[in-house]
């Protein structure tokens, strides 16, 4: 697979979002492990997770534990950059809550270290701003984790341009990634994508196919995505990822998957070359 960079680490141009394997509607563990192993076989070297990817309140970190098991049982497991996140919580009633306090982030990081079975987390990202906590305090906790060697690289998620600049300053120029939602139907993160390109920071689009939103699926099924897919003899999902990769060299999509065939289809997008006319047509959708 073609590669891109997150900080000083080279990763496959298409990563894997592991959330679907742990939240509501998740597959059984055997299929999840098969999906993760298929990703490794296909050359995926970036897997995105979070401690909040679980269902019940008694299984915090379900996704991290699953990933650790998959990596330990595959001969390429040591080649993977695992990106996890802290600051989001799931009480177990289906809701998502926030805790961006420094104390919580430090405890969450320690727990993620234990579940992943590593001495230092490859990439740790502050999951989502907490309006009750000054952003500088939350990112300051991430900086301390970086300084202490608990994490090797630092990133932020669900951030706006000013928060990206602020985080970069607080981290002393060591901000390596921004993970925001971005898809054909959800393009409000265009300013963040452009800023990351200017700053040389990796932009990790999550829910690149629209997630569970019906609008995202319609966007892919609709021309010109479907038309260009037919022209190249590939899926509309591959066209979507190839379009994102063509937007900027800092983009590393992390499409979610819960089936081996979905992973293999996504990874193939790294080798799909769209023409300038294709990209312009998709930009205009």
């Amino acid at each position: 697979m073609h590669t891109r960079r997150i900080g000083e680490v080279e990763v496959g141009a298409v990563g894997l979002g592991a959330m679907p394997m742990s939240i509501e509607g998740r597959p059984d563990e055997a299929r999840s492990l098969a999906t993760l192993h298929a990703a490794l076989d296909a050359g995926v070297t970036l897997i995105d997770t979070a401690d909040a990817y679980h269902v019940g309140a008694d299984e915090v970190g379900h996704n991290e534990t699953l990933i650790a098991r998959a990596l330990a049982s595959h001969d390429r497991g040591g080649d993977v950059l695992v990106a996890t996140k802290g600051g989001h919580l799931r009480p177990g009633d289906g809701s998502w809550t926030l805790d961006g306090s420094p104390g919580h982030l430090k405890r969450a990081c320690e727990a993620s270290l234990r579940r992943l079975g590593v001495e230092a987390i490859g990439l740790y990202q502050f999951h989502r701003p907490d309006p009750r906590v000054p952003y500088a305090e939350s990112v300051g906790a991430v900086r301390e984790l970086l300084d202490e060697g608990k994490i090797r690289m630092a990133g932020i998620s669900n951030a706006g341009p000013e928060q990206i600049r602020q985080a970069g300053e607080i981290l002393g120029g060591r901000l390596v990634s921004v993970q925001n939602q971005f898809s054909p139907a959800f393009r409000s993160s265009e300013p963040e994508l452009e800023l990351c390109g200017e700053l040389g920071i990796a932009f990790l689009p999550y829910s690149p196919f629209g997630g569970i939103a019906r609008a995202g699926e319609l966007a892919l099924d609709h021309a010109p995505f479907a038309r260009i897919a037919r022209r190249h003899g590939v899926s509309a999902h591959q066209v979507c990822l190839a379009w994102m990769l063509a937007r900027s060299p800092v983009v590393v999509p992390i499409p979610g998957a819960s089936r081996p065939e979905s992973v293999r289809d996504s990874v193939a997008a790294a080798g799909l070359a769209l023409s300038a006319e294709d990209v312009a047509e998709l930009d205009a959708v």
Side-chain angles (χ1 to χ4, degrees), residues 81 118-124 145-146 149-154 176:
L81 172 63
V118 296
E119 295 182 358
I121 293 170
L123 173 58
Y124 195 72
L145 292 169
L146 192 59
K150 300 290 179 65
I151 64 177
R152 292 196 171 93
M153 296 188 292
V176 302

Side-chain angles (χ1 to χ4, degrees), residues 159-162 164-165 178 180-182 186-199 203 247 250:
E162 290 309 312
I164 293 172
R165 293 188 178 92
V178 174
N180 278 14
Q181 184 175 1
F182 186 74
F186 190 94
R187 302 194 188 187
S188 63
S189 287
E190 290 271 9
E192 291 82 7
L193 191 163
E194 292 177 7
L195 179 58
C196 285
E198 294 172 11
L199 299 176
F203 183 81
R247 296 294 305 274
V250 302

